[in-house]
Amino acid sequence: MIVGLVVNPVAGLGGAVALKGSDGPGVQARALALGAVPRAAGRAAAALRALHSRRPDVLVRTVAGPMGEDSALAAAVPYETVHRARSGAATGAVDTRAAVAALGTVDLLLFAGGDGTARDVLDAGPRPPVLGVPAGVKVYSGCFAVSPFAAGAAAAGFDGRTVEAEVVDLDEEAYRAGRVGARLYGTLRVPAQRARLSGRKSGSSAAPPGTAESIARAVVAAMRPGTAYALGPGATTLAVGRELGLELTPLGVDVVRDGALLASDVTEQRLHTIAMSQVTHGVLSVIGGQGFVIGRGNQQFSPRVLAGLAGIVVLATREKLAGLGGRPLLADSGDPEADAALDGHVRVVTGHRESVLYRIQSASEELP
């Protein structure tokens, strides 16, 4: 089995440092200056390890250096390089497109990145089926596996059957300003393994008017004096801010205590400091259609932050839960052990004096 691999080494840089994306050299430089740690190569290596453990006969065909070879070396899988990116230049969209073209015909092409990387792969017109290893800040396209582990397992079990999956992306400048508008760019052929695919993010427009406000009232009523609450991104958590009379950061993480804003648009480092210094709960919403609670647009909730929290509060409308069709809520913090610590059932606030118990599990577990 020959699997191609392309890694966008700067994917996901902006998440933990609250930049809400990684597109563009300016944003990437700022993320590194703020202490961001590249994570795409490690996530690609995790996918390769899962693949190789199931298919020892696999050969990885990839790009020299950080665009793939480094991940193959880290995973200790047999590989060959067939392409080298431009020397002396930061990798960008042109490099991803060139790499996809150079890899030619393989049984399956894995790419590690986010929605912007998926667009670049689409623009390259890949001949083989593809599968995304989620490594970006925002991963809303349906062509990604739910986790690196799931990507490797799906690749190992690929039997040639494919389905079309959508590639969508956001305007990051508008996204940083709190305006979310996903645009459909096209489709890619991916393995027909529905349980291991994340699916396209769906919005909350079908929710009845007032639902978010009803959930917000329940959350605020349950807040304890002297306790900090870290509010993750999402329309429902913004409603919590309105209930408190506060203007929160659109698509950022804000911390409130005793009805006041304690810290605004925090980085992972700042959130960790707060969680270590006082009792702190995370308040997180569910991504519609995908079911993610951790790891999609809220990378500030890192494994060490999760370990320091006193607990998490999950918010979702009944319609959003119903849209999952019984599939579990998912956690993909980048550390399978931290995600596994959340396994079980979590109480999901669905309205004022309304809640349900719902299954949550690590995205690195086998899904039925």
Side-chain angles (χ1 to χ4, degrees):
M1 183 182 189
I2 301 177
V3 171
L5 174 67
V6 177
V7 177
N8 176 0
V10 297
L13 273 181
V17 292
L19 295 182
K20 307 169 186 66
S22 305
D23 290 354
V27 173
Q28 294 156 17
R30 185 181 173 199
L32 291 170
L34 289 170
V37 177
R39 62 185 223 143
R43 290 174 74 83
L48 293 182
R49 282 191 287 269
L51 165 59
H52 189 239
S53 68
R54 291 162 173 75
R55 288 292 301 267
D57 63 324
V58 69
L59 173 67
V60 175
R61 185 172 292 166
T62 190
V63 184
M67 289 193 68
E69 181 182 16
D70 293 352
S71 298
L73 282 169
V77 300
Y79 75 94
E80 62 181 20
T81 58
V82 297
H83 180 69
R84 185 174 297 275
R86 298 171 299 161
S87 60
T91 58
V94 63
D95 300 290
T96 300
R97 293 193 291 265
V100 171
L103 289 175
T105 302
V106 293
D107 294 315
L108 179 68
L109 174 64
L110 295 177
F111 68 92
D115 291 323
T117 311
R119 282 180 58 187
D120 298 333
V121 171
L122 175 68
D123 290 343
R127 283 177 283 175
V130 307
L131 181 61
V133 179
V137 176
K138 55 191 191 321
V139 185
Y140 291 166
S141 299
C143 55
F144 287 92
V146 297
S147 69
F149 173 86
F158 181 49
D159 60 5
R161 293 180 299 153
T162 62
V163 294
E164 295 291 322
E166 296 171 318
V167 175
V168 300
D169 199 7
L170 307 178
D171 179 332
E172 285 198 357
E173 289 301 320
Y175 185 71
R176 293 185 185 98
R179 301 189 302 274
V180 182
R183 175 183 170 187
L184 173 63
Y185 284 87
T187 62
L188 289 166
R189 287 187 301 129
V190 300
Q193 298 190 32
R194 177 66 187 91
R196 291 187 171 119
L197 297 176
S198 65
R200 178 182 173 182
K201 177 189 181 298
S202 63
S204 305
S205 59
T211 300
E213 285 69 23
S214 176
I215 293 173
R217 286 198 300 275
V219 172
V220 171
M223 286 183 170
R224 300 173 182 173
T227 299
Y229 293 87
L231 305 176
T236 312
T237 47
L238 284 177
V240 174
R242 290 194 297 271
E243 183 70 14
L244 290 168
L246 304 173
E247 186 174 347
L248 302 184
T249 306
L251 304 170
V253 177
D254 297 318
V255 184
V256 301
R257 185 183 63 196
D258 295 328
L261 191 61
L262 180 64
S264 177
D265 202 12
V266 297
T267 64
E268 185 273 347
Q269 177 62 55
R270 177 70 172 125
L271 184 55
H272 178 253
T273 299
I274 292 172
M276 291 296 97
S277 64
Q278 58 192 290
V279 177
T280 306
H281 291 263
V283 181
L284 302 162
S285 60
V286 175
I287 292 185
Q290 295 185 341
F292 280 97
V293 176
I294 297 289
R296 297 295 183 268
N298 58 8
Q299 282 84 4
Q300 295 92 325
F301 290 90
S302 67
R304 66 173 185 166
V305 167
L306 292 173
L309 293 177
I312 63 171
V313 181
V314 179
L315 316 180
T317 64
R318 288 185 175 272
E319 290 76 15
K320 189 174 285 187
L321 293 180
L324 296 177
R327 289 179 286 119
L329 303 178
L330 297 171
D332 181 23
S333 70
D335 182 343
E337 290 187 6
D339 298 335
L342 298 172
D343 277 5
H345 285 80
V346 64
R347 187 168 297 279
V348 181
V349 180
T350 57
H352 187 52
R353 298 180 180 175
E354 292 183 2
S355 64
V356 297
L357 284 176
Y358 202 94
R359 170 76 177 163
I360 184 170
Q361 71 176 62
S362 167
S364 293
E365 289 183 24
E366 285 283 7
L367 297 171

